[in-house]
Amino acid sequence: MKPKLFLITPPFTQLNTPYPATAYIKGFLNTKNIESVQADLGIEVILKLFSKEGLQNLFANNQQPTTDNCKRIFALQDEYIKTIDSVIAFLQGKNPTLALQICQEDFLPEASRFAQLEELDWAFGTMGTQDKAKHLATLYLEDISDFIIECVDENFGFSRYAERLGRSANSFDELYEALQQEPTYIDQILLSILKERIETIQPTLFLISVPFPGNLYAAFRSAQWVKKHHPGIKISMGGGFPNTELRSLSDARVFEFFDYITLDDGETPIELLCNLVSNPSPLEGLGEVKRTFLLEDGKVVYKNNSTQPDYKQSQVGTPDYSDLLLDKYISVIEIVNPMHRLWSDGRWNKLTMAHGCYWGKCTFCDISLDYIKVYEPVAASLLCDRMEELIAQTGETGFHYVDEAAPPALMRALALEILRRKMAVTWWTNIRFEKSFTKDLCILLKASGCIAVSGGLEVASDRLLKLIDKGVTVEQVAKVTRNFTEAGIMVHAYLMYGYPTQSVQETVDSLEMVRQLFEAQVLQSGFWHQFAMTAHSPVGMFPEQFGAVKETEAIGTFANNDINFVDSTGINHDKFSFGLKKSLFNYMHGICFEYELQEWFDFKIPKTKISPDFIFDALQEESNFNIKPTAKIVWLGGKPSVDYFTKSKKGNSWEMLALTFHDKKESFTIQTSKAEGEWLDEMLQRLSVCNAKTYSFQEIKNDFEIQLENFELFWYSKPVNTLREFGLLVL
């Protein structure tokens, strides 16, 4: 019997783009000729709920509102029902003229979310009508969401559902109890969609990807319904949540819902499950599986009895987004943080440059797990092949590379390949603030379509960055962010507070560093996270080395990742949260740099010990002009027009060359001697980014010196310096 797979992402993850896990697996299954269908049930539930019929049912099935806000929404239900379909179509990009109506501010019914508008009004000064309308429409949806939470289902959330039940659930008890209750209104919508799909597809294997705690409850609800109504279908869970949280699973009740739970890379485990389901062994438990939990004799066992290796990244195929409702996703603008906007606005094809992390040392990160520990890059040519396939498949030219940290050398190779193929794409990714991100590399990345990078500055303190083993200093981060910013690439910094042994002084100094980075305009976006200790990180495994003590050693029977700990400093880091986030909100909008740091906090803090010019001074340092002989030289510009002319001085005359170049914005001319100009004209054609071969600095120098003299004098001359400004890059 040939297997037929149904892959789902349960509610809820993102509204604007599908989470890529099922598309990755479907792409792999295609290489094995295994039939599969995928669905993002999150967007399908949202579209059914936020529709004319959905709101009619919602307002007919709610409990009586108790707050003034929800009473107002309930009273305005006819306005919501009247406008909902056109607003959703607008957010899907199908009804752009509605923006004019929405911006009049008498079209949408308004409840409490609109109260923040006065604060944000100035932030939209530079935003167009479409963006402002998207933000207003987002507030409108959030108002309805507030009503759902109060009157229909307290666990609802646009990008997470019943997340509280999944987050750090050491015991399965609370989730199990919730699953014994009658399905909620949202559950009923989910199960009605699931019923229709299961009956149409009739799969032999049902795979549920659970990337986050906010998908867990809906995953169990879905599995529960299939077990009850189609007991012959085998059900498996995989994804980010089990990979980090369920590695020590022992509660047998979980297997009332699932037959299998697989860990880490899913390709080989799923292929083996397909074999198992297609050719069930008469003797239970004899089939080969890889990194899989299952139930044997009433006990949870972890089996890894297959010798079949994992697939290389070059063998897993191109992600396949077919079956997903790509034209139905909705773009929202929740807040005016520019990087968060990229996450929630627009459709992105998701790809990965490399499996794992090339650095793999940060002490707060789960570096003991294979998804980070096992580093394997993908060739740039194969990445571009996959990009071209996805553009043909989806019609979308935007790409989000979802790497732990994209390697600079591979980013360079990818950018060169994109430019060689003359692809017009937009992409962004996550990086480490490596010193190898030079000014020229950033210009190359920008030319290839890179619009933004996000990276971890974490705790902006050199002592703590060393303790974290981040491999960067604050000064280095400043220079790298400057290089990206000057190239026109937006920079987002992940910021952290509450790391073990972090003193109050270090938190204040860290905030001062962040203030200066924004004031110097080398950062455009940031977000503060409070440190969380996880079981698979060096801090979680050896807390005593980092001045922390675990509060409990007991391992739960269900999820085990987040660890409660006591910091040896005894500082309550929670109290910094509001002030850090409020100051950052203002810095992102280019204001309040002159405020004393004390003004952000309602408790006494020490004065910063950081020099007020620390970042400014770091950015003044001259760059190193030494060029490695192996450095690659690339020309981004086009072919110049050439004019010969004669120059005379004091009775002497000599032939000169004028090379005129045209870039997208302007034209410029350089003048050289005839011999140097002819060499340069011919060399620039060879250095063109469109050519497959790249030349090293040493190769160019050798070529020059066959015909001419004083290469260094020529290289540092005014004509070449002008070319350096217009796209002659040293990489």
Side-chain angles (χ1 to χ4, degrees), residues 679 681-688 691 693-695 703:
W679 177 86
D681 181 32
E682 191 265 336
M683 180 53 73
L684 287 177
Q685 290 178 55
R686 287 157 64 185
L687 296 177
S688 170
N691 297 332
K693 176 170 170 51
T694 52
Y695 289 83
D703 190 278

Side-chain angles (χ1 to χ4, degrees), residues 701-714:
K701 182 174 186 288
N702 293 346
D703 190 278
F704 183 92
E705 289 173 347
I706 291 169
Q707 309 164 43
L708 301 156
E709 293 177 354
N710 288 333
F711 176 73
E712 274 77 11
L713 202 62
F714 173 71

Side-chain angles (χ1 to χ4, degrees), residues 278-313:
S278 304
N279 310 293
S281 168
L283 292 170
E284 190 68 34
L286 284 187
E288 281 198 355
V289 292
K290 195 172 186 77
R291 295 191 299 272
T292 300
F293 283 107
L294 42 86
L295 205 61
E296 276 185 2
D297 301 325
K299 286 204 167 56
V300 179
V301 294
Y302 177 70
K303 297 189 87 166
N304 193 14
N305 62 356
S306 172
T307 55
Q308 187 171 326
D310 282 307
Y311 286 90
K312 296 284 182 196
Q313 291 302 296

Side-chain angles (χ1 to χ4, degrees), residues 38-332:
Q38 66 181 325
D40 176 358
L41 296 190
I43 193 64
E44 294 191 33
V45 169
I46 290 290
L47 293 175
K48 205 159 183 179
L49 179 59
F50 289 87
S51 66
K52 188 173 184 178
E53 186 186 345
L55 289 193
Q56 284 169 337
N57 293 335
L58 179 79
F59 286 120
N61 283 294
N62 64 284
Q63 299 166 9
Q64 278 303 308
T66 54
T67 62
D68 288 345
N69 184 50
C70 286
K71 285 175 185 173
R72 173 176 170 75
I73 294 169
F74 189 65
L76 289 168
Q77 60 181 281
D78 288 346
E79 292 298 324
Y80 286 102
I81 290 165
K82 181 177 100 177
T83 50
I84 188 67
D85 284 348
S86 55
V87 169
I88 292 293
F90 166 69
L91 291 173
Q92 289 171 331
K94 296 171 185 168
N95 192 13
T97 52
L98 192 71
L100 300 165
Q101 277 266 61
I102 292 173
C103 289
Q104 294 287 314
E105 295 187 31
D106 61 356
F107 176 72
L108 297 178
E110 298 182 6
S112 65
R113 295 287 183 146
F114 285 78
Q116 63 189 275
L117 261 189
E118 285 171 24
E119 288 178 39
L120 297 182
D121 226 20
W122 51 269
F124 288 98
T126 57
M127 295 180 92
T129 305
Q130 293 289 321
D131 282 350
K132 184 171 182 182
K134 265 188 199 174
H135 183 64
L136 294 171
T138 304
L139 298 178
Y140 159 93
L141 292 182
E142 287 176 339
D143 275 337
I144 302 173
S145 166
D146 291 342
F147 181 85
I148 293 170
I149 291 165
E150 181 179 319
C151 304
V152 180
D153 187 340
E154 64 179 1
N155 288 316
F156 180 72
F158 280 118
S159 57
R160 52 188 65 88
Y161 186 37
E163 184 179 42
R164 179 184 56 81
L165 295 172
R167 189 171 286 286
S168 297
N170 297 100
S171 163
F172 187 48
D173 291 349
E174 193 179 357
L175 181 54
Y176 189 73
E177 190 180 322
L179 293 162
Q180 307 313 308
Q181 310 302 317
E182 283 298 308
T184 66
Y185 179 70
I186 308 292
D187 293 344
Q188 288 166 20
I189 296 175
L190 166 64
L191 298 178
S192 69
I193 296 168
L194 183 62
K195 176 179 188 291
E196 187 185 323
R197 289 308 188 80
I198 292 285
E199 287 170 359
T200 305
I201 297 163
Q202 298 189 334
T204 53
L205 183 56
F206 180 35
L207 299 181
I208 305 180
S209 173
V210 183
F212 306 113
N215 305 92
L216 188 70
Y217 169 79
F220 273 88
R221 263 295 182 216
S222 301
Q224 180 185 46
W225 185 90
V226 172
K227 270 272 170 266
K228 181 178 177 182
H229 295 94
H230 298 273
I233 298 174
K234 295 292 185 185
I235 309 175
S236 179
M237 182 206 296
F241 181 85
N243 288 351
T244 51
E245 302 273 352
L246 301 184
R247 303 189 81 89
S248 53
L249 176 67
S250 62
D251 195 318
R253 292 175 298 174
V254 170
F255 293 88
E256 294 173 25
F257 305 84
F258 291 92
D259 298 289
Y260 313 106
I261 294 175
T262 63
L263 300 183
D264 301 326
D265 292 357
E267 290 85 3
T268 305
I270 288 168
E271 186 183 13
L272 292 167
L273 289 184
C274 288
N275 296 340
L276 204 60
V277 170
S278 304
N279 310 293
S281 168
L283 292 170
E284 190 68 34
L286 284 187
E288 281 198 355
V289 292
K290 195 172 186 77
R291 295 191 299 272
T292 300
F293 283 107
L294 42 86
L295 205 61
E296 276 185 2
D297 301 325
K299 286 204 167 56
V300 179
V301 294
Y302 177 70
K303 297 189 87 166
N304 193 14
N305 62 356
S306 172
T307 55
Q308 187 171 326
D310 282 307
Y311 286 90
K312 296 284 182 196
Q313 291 302 296
S314 58
Q315 301 171 312
V316 297
T318 301
D320 183 348
Y321 285 89
S322 58
D323 313 324
L324 298 173
L325 311 177
L326 296 183
D327 60 338
K328 300 278 179 68
Y329 283 84
I330 58 178
S331 283
V332 293

Side-chain angles (χ1 to χ4, degrees), residues 374-437:
V374 179
Y375 174 66
E376 186 198 335
V378 180
S381 58
L382 182 53
L383 288 173
C384 280
D385 290 346
R386 289 176 178 173
M387 290 171 84
E388 287 176 334
E389 279 182 59
L390 284 171
I391 292 167
Q393 184 194 122
T394 67
E396 299 284 350
T397 58
F399 292 86
H400 176 195
Y401 276 96
V402 293
D403 292 67
E404 298 297 320
L410 185 48
M411 288 174 72
R412 181 183 78 174
L414 175 64
L416 287 169
E417 187 67 20
I418 288 170
L419 289 162
R420 267 185 212 121
R421 297 192 191 195
K422 296 184 168 64
M423 296 166 67
V425 295
T426 305
W427 61 279
W428 54 293
T429 191
N430 196 35
I431 61 156
R432 292 180 66 252
F433 292 118
E434 291 269 13
K435 59 178 179 287
S436 41
F437 286 113

